[in-house]
Amino acid sequence: MYWEKDVEKIGQAKLKKLQLAALKKTINRAQKSFYYKKLFKEKHLSADVVKSVDDIKKFPLTTKDDLREHWPYGFVAVPHEKLVRMHSSSGTTGRATVVFHTAKDIAVWTNLLARCLYMAGMRRSDVFQNMMTYGLFTGGLGFHYGAEKIGALVIPAGAGNSKRQIQLMRDFGTTAVHVIPSYALHLSAVFEELHLDPRRDTKVRMAFLGAEPHTEKMRKKIEEIYGYKA
């Protein structure tokens, strides 16, 4: 039942040791960026002041404004030739914030999502329909990579086109979906319009809800409508 048993069942002592080493490594790497190099120099901070994970409190929080003010490359901590991907936020509340990835970042991201999906019950035999936006938003791609790493059949449906989403579910035997909660509720109305019952007329057994806030009441309503585990 474990994707990486040695990591997922690590003991407290080993976990604390791993966290401390990772924190020091992260600080050393961050210090290579323009923003943190300047900040750490001003605050007289470095990995040397970290003796335990609690010492993270000595480091100031990074705000959304900090990210915006150092657009676009102020937080990059590796040579540009190592960057292979850029994603960004929507920018709905101001200038968008950007995140860059190296090839190793994407490999780690992929494995992390595979671990999460496996923990939730996805297996190689599943057909995974990804109903999230692909593009600058990271949501679609992370789950896509994770499901592929597990070995599931991935349908990169993207967002919208409700009747086609339902057709894909039925024709290809979709068993797992990744969907925005509000869209899951909207889609239930389309099932009704088509005189279909998602419980009876699909094989979906689990859904990953995200990308927007939702209440426990909303999650349970979606489970009641579809009959799957959300």
Side-chain angles (χ1 to χ4, degrees):
M1 294 301 294
Y2 296 97
W3 180 249
E4 293 173 305
K5 189 174 181 179
D6 58 332
V7 175
E8 295 173 56
K9 294 196 71 176
I10 192 171
Q12 281 294 314
K14 286 186 177 180
L15 177 60
K16 287 183 178 180
K17 187 176 180 180
L18 176 64
Q19 289 173 331
L20 179 59
L23 178 57
K24 284 176 169 285
K25 185 177 180 180
T26 299
I27 291 168
N28 280 327
R29 174 158 296 172
Q31 200 164 352
K32 295 177 182 179
S33 72
F34 172 82
Y35 175 79
Y36 286 114
K37 182 178 182 179
K38 183 172 178 288
L39 178 68
F40 291 174
K41 186 176 181 180
E42 290 173 355
K43 302 288 186 181
H44 304 290
L45 293 170
S46 71
D48 294 336
V49 308
V50 178
K51 306 303 179 187
S52 74
V53 174
D54 287 340
D55 286 331
I56 194 172
K57 297 172 186 176
K58 297 177 181 178
F59 291 79
L61 295 174
T62 302
T63 68
K64 197 101 172 180
D65 285 339
D66 293 327
L67 296 172
R68 287 169 174 154
E69 288 168 11
H70 292 81
W71 168 285
Y73 294 114
F75 281 85
V76 172
V78 298
H80 280 223
E81 58 267 25
K82 287 193 174 183
L83 300 176
V84 300
R85 175 84 59 77
M86 184 274 279
H87 284 287
S88 80
S89 66
S90 61
T92 52
T93 59
R95 172 178 274 176
T97 55
V98 292
V99 180
F100 296 93
H101 298 74
T102 64
K104 184 178 180 181
D105 290 332
I106 291 177
V108 170
W109 179 22
T110 297
N111 192 64
L112 175 62
L113 264 294
R115 188 195 302 172
C116 293
L117 294 170
Y118 194 87
M119 176 181 65
M122 184 181 287
R123 297 295 184 267
R124 293 180 63 87
S125 56
D126 279 302
V127 177
F128 175 64
Q129 189 164 324
N130 198 359
M131 300 156 71
M132 291 291 191
T133 301
Y134 282 74
L136 289 175
F137 172 59
T138 59
L141 283 165
F143 276 72
H144 181 121
Y145 293 156
E148 280 188 342
K149 189 169 180 68
I150 286 174
L153 171 60
V154 176
I155 303 174
N161 203 339
S162 299
K163 290 182 180 179
R164 186 165 181 262
Q165 297 282 7
I166 293 171
Q167 181 187 352
L168 290 171
M169 286 182 198
R170 301 187 71 212
D171 289 355
F172 296 97
T174 299
T175 58
V177 297
H178 181 206
V179 62
I180 292 174
S182 58
Y183 186 60
L185 292 176
H186 168 74
L187 201 61
S188 68
V190 183
F191 270 101
E192 193 173 329
E193 178 189 330
L194 296 173
H195 305 291
L196 295 171
D197 181 350
R199 287 172 170 262
R200 183 193 65 232
D201 298 314
T202 77
K203 296 179 180 179
V204 181
R205 66 183 186 87
M206 63 192 307
F208 300 94
L209 308 180
E212 67 182 9
H214 59 286
T215 63
E216 178 64 9
K217 183 178 180 181
M218 189 175 183
R219 186 185 71 80
K220 286 188 176 297
K221 183 179 180 180
I222 291 169
E223 287 189 332
E224 288 168 7
I225 292 169
Y226 288 94
Y228 53 47
K229 180 67 177 174

